[in-house]
Amino acid sequence: MLPERVIIAFLLILAVLTVFSGCAMQAPAPTEKETIQKTATTGSTKEQMVAFVKEAITYAHSHDKETALTEFSNRNGSFVRGDLYLYAYDFNGTTIAHPVNPEKIGVNRLYERDALDNFFIYDLRAAAINGSGFAEYAYINPVHNKTVEKKLGYVEKVDDTWWLGSGIYYGPATPAESTASATGPASSRALKEYVDNAAAYAMANGKNAAIAAFNNRSGPFVQGPDTYVYALDYTGTALALPFQPEKVGTDFLPVKDPAGKPYTAIEIQLARAGGGYLLYQYPDPAANLTPALKISYVRPVDDTYWIGAGIYTSEDRLIDTQLKQFVLGAKDFYWKYGKEAALAEFNKPDGMFKSGELYIFANDYNGTVLAWPYRPDMIGKNHRNATDAVGEHHIAELLDKAKNGGGMTAYYTGDPLTNTTALKISYVTDVDGTWMLGAGKYIRPDSRVLLP
């Protein structure tokens, strides 16, 4: 008979073996998050992402659309590989395939903002309109405790009705990468709030105290030489100009900027109407008073005077990538399909060149309207001598700009969202030397405008 201590030792060894055997047999499968984390440690490269999308394009071209979209939306399908997956959208910005967020299918995301307030689907779609391309944005990374990270997306057009893409994370996104300015307002909303706060101060403290504060370079309403509050009465006489004190008392009503714009007269019209934005050229104190492009917001204080403030900017900052690519995408469409097909598409109110409030307009260089999807009654009519809401010949300016290489033009027209007169900034381009096309956006407090 074996000693008791031997029997106990044997039983202990048997128990341990049983436990380890059970663990090996019953160990739970790794969770989806653990699997993604494992692959994310060696995340896909830019080259792998591009190859992945191109493989999907080939699949889409060799299968019918319904079959392809079903496969792209399958979380367990062939187009979900570690940190890479396919998404698909139509050119209106509606999701038509998404394996990770199936609840987004059927949802229009064109003006959905990322974590840094950018219209990321708009940016991706703009690249797709041009055939293919990249766009950077900020997005929550589910495998890094849902922190906001930079993401690079690559997209390609499948055909004229839809496009697809994929993306890779490549580092943390910080507020420093946003468009905020440390010294002054950095958006159309912030600029309006800056002026509204000054008006509130003026109404609370009286006109004399307000004018003194606005003229004080060291006061609370001067945030550097490029951001300050100015004040004028309704005759155009300057009351406050902190960086041009010698100009206080000057009549600015007849003054025009280097482009011939009577900016004070326009500001007075805007102030009398309750307020609005203005784009013009004005001496920049930070550049030895050299005229520079400036966008201002003005509003009334009372029935004797009005105030404004502005930010010096540039055409490149005001014409964002989305607007420019929208116009150039329309031009590419013309070169591919011809003038007749292009104008037919541009004139469709629900066509592929209608994106939110953006639409393509076109005129020949005589001024004849070729495309205006919301005014079919104007097609074929000469519009060259038309004036905008403040009396400027904006069509002639658009045509001249396009004929001389293209670029930006600002004018005033009715805003269908607010039923008010609003500043509109358009980008136009020459097509073939005989006509131009373009598109524009309204400047509102919620506009995505890069000012400084």
Side-chain angles (χ1 to χ4, degrees):
M1 185 174 180
L2 294 172
E4 182 178 353
R5 64 177 179 273
V6 175
I7 295 173
I8 293 174
F10 175 77
L11 291 174
L12 287 173
I13 291 171
L14 182 62
V16 170
L17 289 173
T18 301
V19 170
F20 276 108
S21 175
C23 288
M25 294 172 61
Q26 300 175 14
T31 65
E32 178 183 356
K33 182 176 180 179
E34 288 170 340
T35 301
I36 296 175
Q37 284 175 324
K38 183 177 180 180
T39 58
T41 59
T42 56
S44 299
T45 65
K46 178 180 177 181
E47 292 73 21
Q48 289 171 328
M49 173 181 63
V50 171
F52 181 63
V53 173
K54 288 185 178 297
E55 181 185 339
I57 290 288
T58 300
Y59 183 91
H61 286 159
S62 60
H63 294 76
D64 63 83
K65 186 174 181 179
E66 183 178 355
T67 299
L69 291 176
T70 299
E71 183 62 20
F72 296 154
S73 292
N74 183 359
R75 193 165 191 142
N76 298 312
S78 57
F79 289 98
V80 178
R81 301 174 194 169
D83 60 336
L84 290 177
Y85 61 87
L86 259 295
Y87 48 79
Y89 290 81
D90 65 23
F91 279 98
N92 292 321
T94 300
T95 313
I96 54 178
H98 207 301
V100 176
N101 296 314
E103 73 281 359
K104 296 290 188 179
I105 294 175
V107 176
N108 189 291
R109 304 179 71 189
L110 191 62
Y111 292 104
E112 184 174 319
R113 300 173 189 263
D114 71 1
L116 293 181
D117 212 32
N118 298 309
F119 295 120
F120 67 107
I121 299 298
Y122 194 117
D123 291 341
L124 291 166
R125 190 202 65 155
I129 286 175
N130 283 337
S132 66
F134 297 92
E136 297 179 350
Y137 53 103
Y139 211 69
I140 292 174
N141 189 338
V143 305
H144 288 169
N145 296 317
K146 295 186 177 181
T147 56
V148 176
E149 295 186 7
K150 292 183 289 187
K151 195 169 187 180
L152 178 68
Y154 176 76
V155 298
E156 280 199 26
K157 180 167 67 173
V158 179
D159 59 31
D160 291 335
T161 65
W162 62 298
W163 53 275
L164 53 83
S166 188
I168 53 173
Y169 292 97
Y170 64 102
T174 64
E177 294 179 289
S178 70
T179 60
S181 167
T183 58
S187 69
S188 51
R189 177 181 295 279
L191 183 59
K192 180 179 184 299
E193 290 175 349
Y194 181 62
V195 177
D196 285 344
N197 288 337
Y201 175 90
M203 288 183 279
N205 294 277
K207 183 175 181 178
N208 291 338
I211 296 300
F214 299 155
N215 274 310
N216 182 3
R217 286 196 194 185
S218 302
F221 299 103
V222 176
Q223 297 190 12
D226 61 345
T227 309
Y228 55 88
V229 171
Y230 53 87
L232 291 88
D233 66 22
Y234 288 100
T235 69
T237 301
L239 306 176
L241 287 170
F243 290 96
Q244 294 175 288
E246 74 283 359
K247 296 283 189 180
V248 172
T250 299
D251 179 10
F252 275 76
L253 191 60
V255 178
K256 297 181 180 181
D257 74 359
K261 180 172 291 186
Y263 54 90
T264 300
I266 295 173
E267 287 178 308
I268 290 173
Q269 288 186 59
L270 295 173
R272 288 191 182 280
Y277 295 92
L278 174 76
L279 186 66
Y280 60 114
Q281 295 181 53
Y282 194 79
D284 185 352
N288 296 317
L289 296 178
T290 301
L293 198 61
K294 189 174 188 179
I295 185 167
S296 287
Y297 179 80
V298 300
R299 58 152 291 165
V301 177
D302 57 30
D303 57 3
T304 67
Y305 78 112
W306 54 273
I307 62 173
I311 289 291
Y312 292 94
T313 184
S314 69
E315 182 171 323
D316 288 341
R317 293 184 177 114
L318 291 168
I319 299 297
D320 56 32
T321 302
Q322 298 97 321
L323 178 58
K324 191 170 185 178
Q325 289 187 339
F326 184 72
V327 173
L328 295 180
K331 184 175 179 178
D332 288 343
F333 188 89
Y334 156 74
W335 285 114
K336 184 175 181 180
Y337 297 103
K339 187 173 182 178
E340 183 178 352
L343 291 178
E345 189 64 33
F346 301 159
N347 275 307
K348 292 179 182 177
D350 57 351
M352 66 179 293
F353 289 100
K354 166 67 171 65
S355 175
E357 293 181 330
L358 286 182
Y359 62 88
I360 293 294
F361 55 81
N363 294 68
D364 67 23
Y365 284 125
N366 292 321
T368 302
V369 179
L370 302 178
W372 194 349
Y374 297 110
R375 291 293 305 275
D377 58 304
M378 290 299 296
I379 304 301
K381 295 182 180 180
N382 193 290
H383 209 217
R384 185 178 183 88
N385 293 324
T387 55
D388 69 0
V390 298
E392 296 290 294
H393 286 86
H394 62 300
I395 301 299
E397 188 175 350
L398 288 166
L399 293 169
D400 291 344
K401 180 71 71 170
K403 202 169 187 178
N404 288 289
M408 181 191 74
T409 298
Y411 51 96
Y412 290 89
T413 185
D415 183 341
L417 182 65
T418 63
N419 291 318
T420 61
T421 297
L423 178 65
K424 191 171 187 178
I425 294 178
S426 288
Y427 177 81
V428 294
T429 184
D430 174 72
V431 180
D432 59 12
T434 65
W435 60 294
M436 70 92 181
L437 59 81
K441 60 182 180 180
Y442 295 94
I443 302 300
R444 307 187 185 104
D446 61 348
S447 299
R448 181 171 169 257
V449 176
L450 181 61
L451 300 179

